[in-house]
Amino acid sequence: ARELFSEHEDAAGELATLRRLAVVAGTERQKISYRLQLVERAVASGRKESATASLIQLIATHPTNYGVLTEAADYYWLLGKREQSMRLLASAAQRSKGRFRYVFARKLAARQSERGQLAAAEITLKKLYDENPANLDVFRELSKLYVRQSKAGALRERYRQTIRAVKEQETDHLAMRQTIAQLREQVIEAFTQLRDFNSAIEQHIEIINRNPEDETKVNTAIEYA
């Protein structure tokens, strides 16, 4: 029936079929899929209140489903309900564990940063950072925030903590050196954006000290200076 309505460009009939499918689908996964399709149609046609009502119902029915919460947060954002999207992500991060909590928190920090809520984004990321200071992805996002807030001192302190954490966690000496070299390259860019050129050059020197035979790195440092 849905295919028939679609072929005849009967939007009302297709929507009615989707609503029924969302009720009679054989599995919860299928029901969720059909309901999200209804939300997508409502968003595409500009029916924001209908889309919002469907999202509220979906979240109430599946309050702990990762896919539902992720899609709902994205749709809220798309609908212009930015604060509602961030509240949902914050609640999901607080109630989740392990990898799921990490993903929700990262997404929340990205949304906060996009909204210009830099202090809030920093708090969100620092909680993740304190759990694993050797996580270079989290450090990279924190670095971006420090650059935007002109916090050179905070960047230096966080960078030193990250170096220590990498040395403590990484047992393979070669892998540790490569990770730290990658980290130094990250902070060179951040210090450059902060116009803290001396700190950036110090990192170039540290890179050379650990591999003085690498002419490419030597030349890069000279060109930078």
Side-chain angles (χ1 to χ4, degrees):
R2 183 185 177 189
E3 289 175 2
L4 187 63
F5 284 130
S6 179
E7 288 172 7
H8 288 79
E9 298 182 355
D10 186 339
E14 195 175 356
L15 282 172
T17 312
L18 267 176
R19 292 191 189 97
R20 186 61 185 157
L21 283 168
V23 175
V24 302
T27 67
E28 283 302 309
R29 182 170 183 157
Q30 289 176 322
K31 290 179 181 179
I32 290 170
S33 175
Y34 288 129
R35 286 172 182 166
L36 286 173
Q37 289 179 57
L38 284 168
V39 172
E40 183 181 6
R41 293 297 184 85
V43 171
S45 60
R47 294 181 289 114
K48 293 185 177 183
E49 294 310 313
S50 175
T52 301
S54 295
L55 287 172
I56 292 172
Q57 183 181 10
L58 194 56
I59 294 167
T61 309
H62 304 280
T64 60
N65 184 287
Y66 171 77
V68 167
L69 296 175
T70 302
E71 293 286 347
D74 288 343
Y75 275 121
Y76 277 140
W77 193 265
L78 189 62
L79 289 165
K81 299 180 181 294
R82 304 298 168 82
E83 294 301 321
Q84 203 163 341
S85 175
M86 291 191 292
R87 282 198 299 271
L88 179 60
L89 288 172
S91 173
Q94 187 174 13
R95 292 186 290 116
S96 301
K97 294 181 179 180
R99 181 66 184 173
F100 293 122
R101 191 176 72 80
Y102 175 81
V103 173
F104 282 129
R106 284 291 304 274
K107 197 161 194 173
L108 172 61
R111 295 302 194 195
Q112 290 169 328
S113 179
E114 188 174 340
R115 289 284 283 171
Q117 299 175 4
L118 304 186
E122 183 180 346
I123 290 172
T124 301
L125 286 172
K126 280 176 69 175
K127 289 179 181 178
L128 292 179
Y129 178 88
D130 290 340
E131 294 174 8
N132 183 13
N135 187 319
L136 299 192
D137 289 333
V138 174
F139 174 77
R140 183 185 301 110
E141 295 306 312
L142 269 173
S143 297
K144 293 177 183 177
L145 289 177
Y146 291 143
V147 169
R148 291 179 65 182
Q149 297 176 89
S150 299
K151 290 185 173 182
L155 174 61
R156 279 192 292 272
E157 177 58 29
R158 196 71 57 196
Y159 166 67
R160 285 193 288 266
Q161 292 176 13
T162 305
I163 289 284
R164 286 196 296 268
V166 169
K167 288 180 177 179
E168 290 172 2
Q169 290 188 19
E170 186 58 73
T171 55
D172 186 311
H173 186 68
L174 179 59
M176 180 189 71
R177 287 181 59 182
Q178 291 174 340
T179 299
I180 292 177
Q182 177 188 352
L183 182 61
R184 293 189 195 283
E185 290 171 1
Q186 284 182 29
V187 295
I188 285 171
E189 181 179 351
F191 282 132
T192 301
Q193 291 176 311
L194 286 166
R195 304 188 68 78
D196 186 352
F197 303 121
N198 287 335
S199 293
I201 288 176
E202 286 174 6
Q203 297 310 310
H204 274 297
I205 293 170
E206 292 296 332
I207 291 172
I208 294 170
N209 286 343
R210 281 151 183 77
N211 195 0
E213 304 302 322
D214 190 327
E215 292 185 7
T216 300
K217 288 183 170 54
V218 173
N219 290 334
T220 298
I222 291 171
E223 289 174 8
Y224 183 90

